[in-house]
Amino acid sequence: MEQRLVNTWRMTVNEKKFIESALESELRIDGRRPFDYRRVTIKFGRFAILREDGSSEVQLGQTHVMSFVTSQLVQPYRDRPNEGTLSVFTEFSPMADPSFEVGCPSESAVELGRIIDRGLRESRAVDTESLCVVAGKWVWSIRIDLHILDNGGNLVDAANIAALAALLTFRRPECTLGGDDGQEVIMHPPEAHWVSNHHVREPLSLTIHHLPIAVTFAFIGDENMVIDPTHHEEAVMGGRMSVTLNSNGEVCAVQKAGQGVMQSVVMQCLRIVSVKAGDVTSKIKTAVESYNTERALKMVKRHAPPSKAVDVSEPGQKAKQILEGQKLKSEECSVSQSDDMDVDQVHTYIHALKELTHLRGDVFLVSKDPYSEGVNTDELKATLASCGSVAVPMKLVNLGDSIRDETKSDEPLSDVNPVSSSTDSAGKETRCC
Amino acid sequence: MEYVNPEGLRLDGRRPMEMRQLRAEIGVVSRADGSAAFEMGNTKVIAAVYGPREVQNRSQQMNDQALVRCEYSMANFSTGDRRRKTKGDRRSTEISLVIRQTMEACICQHLMPRSQIDIYVQVLQADGGTRSACINAATLALADAGIPMRDLVTSCSAGYLNSTPLLDLNYLEDSAGGADVTVGILPKMDKVTLLQMDAKLPMDIFENVMQLAVEGCKAVESYIREFAILLKKKMGPGYATAILSKNGGSKS
């Protein structure tokens, strides 16, 4: 159907007939059954040099999609003065498929962007009102870039998962209003920066109300349909339908054209999608959760100067003790480092800590950073130096070790395998199947 | 905002299940092989079909079927606000693609190998449902050009506002942010070929709204058929056989 471009790879009649006739007996060329989904792998934070948050890489069978979310302060649209904006851009790399050409986006690239855009924006999945800084003046503009690295079929689903994963891990810098007239926007850097003298604040993640999951069907021959078509099946199909559904069973977007199907078949597809969407949602959530855990761990480690051991035995007392510790330390800090210390920041760390204790069950606080043995000391020094002006109240270390041990023992159960190397920030990878 | 008042009337005075007035005209572009104008209330579009003719770009030629191309454009004066739309923006590219795929589903492409059919649709007045109106106009224009078709394609939209399913949304209702379901059907085969949907709807309500849109498509179909019968009387028995034949055309 789409095979109309110059460099298009064309399938032989025999191959087409084979796919069609095999489907008659519910067989697909890659060994799946008609309603089996391919394996999804989600990776995060591959661009540590630029920024870790808000990037994802999704592998769906052979299909490989990369997504990157960025933000910028812009003027809002005149008809929506108090809403941020969200836009989707697609890039079909010519190396991904012989039919992708260099230059302006092709029809299918535009369609892909529009399907994902509709699923996210029209269903109000991302809370755009919380992206407003000054109504009518400054709002955050969120841009999702989707790069197709390898086309193994079903780009819509893969790109949709990539976009969601990137949005879920994206964090924008916090900004407040200040200045003489109270209208000046002050950006708070996520880390202490020598050019900025503003308070350091933890960047904020987006408010996402629900996850619209796209699931694609291909209609092959007169009767047959398959879920998650490969590029071979896409070359044979007469029509395609992409349904975007969230886990509440609400239809967020539908795109279907080409070969006609009965209305009852459409509804049957929708019911199948509601099951599949649940699976995919949980996969994305597990992946994002383990990424966040790791991120929190790293934050704690990075900002942790060596300190005395505090042994926490009872979970109930934990938070209390920590809080007390925080207060003490924050007072200390405010004395020693002027007013660089921020109450909000303390809360952020307490929050991170709570998350960890919640995840872990019990926490051991030790006197010496045991990581320093396995860590490049120069690098560590540099990190500490760069955080020098950040008053960090946390005296927590060695959370990673214990958590890592536990996850290992859980591995067969959870399927999630955070490759947690404390120093190698690029190596975060979560695998689910 | 109240889109359905307590008396059960919509902003333009229609009932929730009522369509706007339909009007069709054929032969509006003299140089084209087939052309049609289609109006749904204040939405007005024209479609022109050229072909089957020789393939312009040889590399696109297909040896087993005809190449179908489609271009959708909106006139600058078609909307209320004076906005200069760049040609080939993302929205019109997508609509062009969708119309092309929909028309491909009904054209007997295998009967015209190594040839090309061009469909041009232009929106003159936009008041919601331009996509549907374009598909209806394109069907008529294809029939006017005498291109063999399996069936008519008719299209209609439906929405859901104030917890009421509404048929054939106008611009105000369309931009209200509620759901918007555009359906295109092949009436004789009773199959859905085009299905597009925005916004968020629970599945059971979606089914109702889609059903309503399908009913709308059937109403459009009966209008187009009546129109074609009238034309046939005027133009002679050979006219528009593709869309009037009882057996549903030839199937591939």
Side-chain angles (χ1 to χ4, degrees):
Chain A
M1 196 167 69
E2 301 300 321
Q3 314 296 314
R4 47 176 51 243
L5 293 159
V6 185
N7 298 318
T8 304
W9 156 80
R10 291 187 199 206
M11 218 180 209
T12 62
V13 176
N14 279 345
E15 280 175 307
K16 285 186 181 174
K17 285 272 176 274
F18 179 75
I19 293 177
E20 280 174 16
S21 53
L23 257 182
E24 295 291 330
S25 38
E26 304 216 322
L27 289 169
R28 293 169 75 173
I29 46 169
D30 54 0
R32 283 183 290 162
R33 281 167 299 165
F35 300 120
D36 285 351
Y37 218 76
R38 282 177 292 178
R39 184 189 163 87
V40 184
T41 314
I42 307 171
K43 297 173 192 168
F44 293 105
R46 307 282 284 181
F47 314 101
I49 300 166
L50 284 163
R51 192 172 37 82
E52 286 169 37
D53 298 325
S55 69
S56 72
E57 227 180 297
V58 167
Q59 188 113 34
L60 177 68
Q62 299 269 299
T63 306
H64 199 173
V65 181
M66 200 164 84
S67 171
F68 203 80
V69 177
T70 45
S71 65
Q72 197 185 0
L73 276 179
V74 295
Q75 288 227 319
Y77 292 124
R78 213 175 294 158
D79 52 339
R80 305 244 160 114
N82 55 353
E83 282 182 35
T85 60
L86 179 78
S87 42
V88 181
F89 291 86
T90 46
E91 166 93 25
F92 280 32
S93 164
M95 69 177 161
D97 193 290
S99 64
F100 296 169
E101 281 172 51
V102 197
C104 63
S106 64
E107 273 185 333
S108 46
V110 172
E111 192 197 20
L112 174 75
R114 292 267 301 174
I115 295 174
I116 288 161
D117 183 90
R118 271 218 300 269
L120 283 168
R121 208 147 47 108
E122 307 269 337
S123 66
R124 302 184 176 278
V126 178
D127 184 15
T128 47
E129 276 167 23
S130 68
L131 295 172
C132 176
V133 181
V134 186
K137 255 181 148 177
W138 294 112
V139 296
W140 284 103
S141 156
I142 307 291
R143 175 190 169 116
I144 308 169
D145 279 289
L146 294 164
H147 280 244
I148 312 296
L149 300 179
D150 195 356
N151 177 19
N154 198 6
L155 293 175
V156 176
D157 296 11
N160 189 70
I161 296 171
L164 286 177
L167 277 175
L168 282 169
T169 55
F170 173 71
R171 282 172 171 79
R172 65 176 169 87
E174 193 178 347
C175 58
T176 48
L177 293 179
D180 300 332
D181 54 349
Q183 294 285 297
E184 196 187 319
V185 180
I186 301 169
M187 292 270 249
H188 295 276
E191 279 178 36
H193 203 267
W194 60 275
V195 287
S196 167
N197 54 0
H198 295 303
H199 296 289
V200 171
R201 289 204 188 165
E202 177 66 14
L204 301 170
S205 46
L206 299 172
T207 314
I208 294 174
H209 296 305
H210 58 95
L211 295 181
I213 308 287
V215 178
T216 300
F217 292 87
F219 301 104
I220 298 174
D222 279 338
E223 301 284 288
N224 299 308
M225 63 175 178
V226 294
I227 205 167
D228 184 21
T230 61
H231 66 295
H232 288 102
E233 284 159 344
E234 281 184 344
V236 184
M237 71 183 176
R240 191 183 66 187
M241 179 161 85
S242 291
V243 182
T244 310
L245 217 78
N246 64 18
S247 47
N248 309 332
E250 289 164 320
V251 187
C252 299
V254 180
Q255 175 91 347
K256 184 204 170 299
Q259 188 179 329
V261 294
M262 305 292 286
Q263 224 174 310
S264 55
V265 176
V266 173
M267 290 317 291
Q268 189 198 338
C269 289
L270 253 71
R271 279 186 283 274
I272 296 169
V273 174
S274 65
V275 178
K276 297 286 172 194
D279 295 352
V280 178
T281 311
S282 58
K283 271 172 208 164
I284 297 176
K285 281 195 173 153
T286 352
V288 169
E289 234 163 68
S290 58
Y291 169 79
N292 283 341
T293 314
E294 200 157 322
R295 187 180 181 278
L297 275 175
K298 216 163 46 180
M299 295 293 291
V300 170
K301 218 199 85 49
R302 194 193 296 161
H303 295 305
S307 74
K308 273 186 196 168
V310 188
D311 246 324
V312 185
S313 48
E314 218 181 294
Q317 288 183 339
K318 222 178 296 164
K320 214 171 160 189
Q321 287 190 11
I322 293 158
L323 267 166
E324 282 166 7
Q326 304 280 353
K327 268 181 201 156
L328 273 173
K329 294 295 164 201
S330 62
E331 277 163 21
E332 256 178 52
C333 295
S334 54
V335 173
S336 59
Q337 308 199 358
S338 69
D339 54 359
D340 223 336
M341 188 53 228
D342 204 315
V343 184
D344 282 7
Q345 202 187 350
V346 176
H347 286 303
T348 316
Y349 286 108
I350 293 174
H351 184 72
L353 186 76
K354 276 181 186 163
E355 263 184 29
L356 291 171
T357 46
H358 172 72
L359 279 162
R360 182 55 193 85
D362 55 350
V363 179
F364 297 98
L365 308 167
V366 284
S367 55
K368 187 171 149 255
D369 185 357
Y371 274 72
S372 50
E373 290 154 15
V375 166
N376 181 347
T377 41
D378 289 342
E379 193 183 313
L380 194 67
K381 272 179 204 159
T383 331
L384 285 172
S386 73
C387 303
S389 66
V390 193
V392 184
M394 192 68 67
K395 304 298 168 204
L396 253 187
V397 277
N398 196 25
L399 288 168
D401 245 7
S402 40
I403 286 184
R404 193 154 31 145
D405 290 343
E406 185 151 294
T407 353
K408 266 181 192 158
S409 61
D410 278 345
E411 222 167 19
L413 288 172
S414 69
D415 255 354
V416 180
N417 173 25
V419 185
S420 58
S421 67
S422 49
T423 43
D424 176 18
S425 47
K428 288 180 306 297
E429 178 169 328
T430 309
R431 202 170 266 271
C432 22
C433 51
Chain B
M1 200 170 156
E2 198 182 55
Y3 290 96
V4 183
N5 69 14
E7 287 88 56
L9 294 176
R10 286 152 73 175
L11 294 173
D12 52 5
R14 283 184 289 158
R15 301 263 167 206
M17 311 268 183
E18 196 177 327
M19 284 193 73
R20 290 177 288 182
Q21 198 183 25
L22 302 177
R23 204 182 74 84
E25 201 185 329
I26 233 152
V28 291
V29 182
S30 62
R31 291 297 305 277
D33 294 316
S35 63
F38 201 86
E39 284 174 36
M40 298 173 90
N42 286 328
T43 299
K44 183 173 184 179
V45 302
I46 52 173
V49 170
Y50 288 87
R53 59 181 176 183
E54 201 172 333
V55 182
Q56 279 168 351
N57 185 352
R58 271 302 171 84
S59 60
Q60 292 183 331
Q61 179 171 303
M62 285 184 281
N63 291 318
D64 53 345
Q65 55 177 328
L67 173 75
V68 180
R69 297 202 312 182
C70 179
E71 190 165 307
Y72 164 97
S73 59
M74 269 176 107
N76 286 324
F77 50 82
S78 60
T79 47
D81 49 341
R82 264 166 58 108
R83 193 175 4 165
R84 190 151 186 92
K85 282 246 172 81
T86 47
K87 207 166 167 277
D89 62 349
R90 278 149 64 111
R91 181 176 171 274
S92 39
T93 314
E94 192 218 349
I95 296 181
S96 303
L97 176 78
V98 162
I99 295 177
R100 194 196 81 213
Q101 291 176 341
T102 310
M103 299 332 285
E104 274 176 347
C106 80
I107 297 172
C108 300
Q109 282 169 283
H110 60 283
L111 297 182
M112 297 159 283
R114 293 181 290 280
S115 60
Q116 166 179 328
I117 299 165
D118 288 305
I119 305 168
Y120 299 104
V121 281
Q122 170 111 44
V123 179
L124 299 181
Q125 280 181 55
D127 186 28
T130 55
R131 211 171 301 219
S132 304
C134 285
I135 288 171
N136 296 331
T139 312
L140 273 172
L142 283 170
D144 186 37
I147 286 167
M149 290 196 279
R150 295 186 178 86
D151 195 351
L152 279 170
V153 190
T154 57
S155 174
C156 188
S157 67
Y160 191 75
L161 286 168
N162 297 147
S163 355
T164 320
L166 304 176
L167 186 63
D168 192 17
L169 303 182
N170 65 23
Y171 179 75
L172 275 177
E173 292 164 335
D174 199 9
S175 49
D180 171 20
V181 182
T182 303
V183 176
I185 61 164
L186 299 164
K188 265 185 288 194
M189 295 183 232
D190 198 20
K191 282 185 170 174
V192 178
T193 166
L194 169 74
L195 181 58
Q196 279 194 302
M197 190 257 187
D198 299 307
K200 206 166 66 175
L201 269 189
M203 214 189 283
D204 47 339
I205 295 175
F206 172 76
E207 190 171 7
N208 292 339
V209 176
M210 184 171 77
Q211 183 58 44
L212 181 64
V214 169
E215 297 301 327
C217 293
K218 287 181 178 158
V220 174
E221 184 228 351
S222 65
Y223 174 79
I224 290 182
R225 261 183 221 291
E226 269 172 38
F227 175 73
I229 291 171
L230 270 179
L231 273 180
K232 197 170 179 171
K233 278 181 190 157
K234 215 158 72 181
M235 315 274 274
Y239 189 75
T241 39
I243 58 174
L244 285 172
S245 61
K246 288 277 180 285
N247 59 6
S250 55
K251 259 186 159 182
S252 64

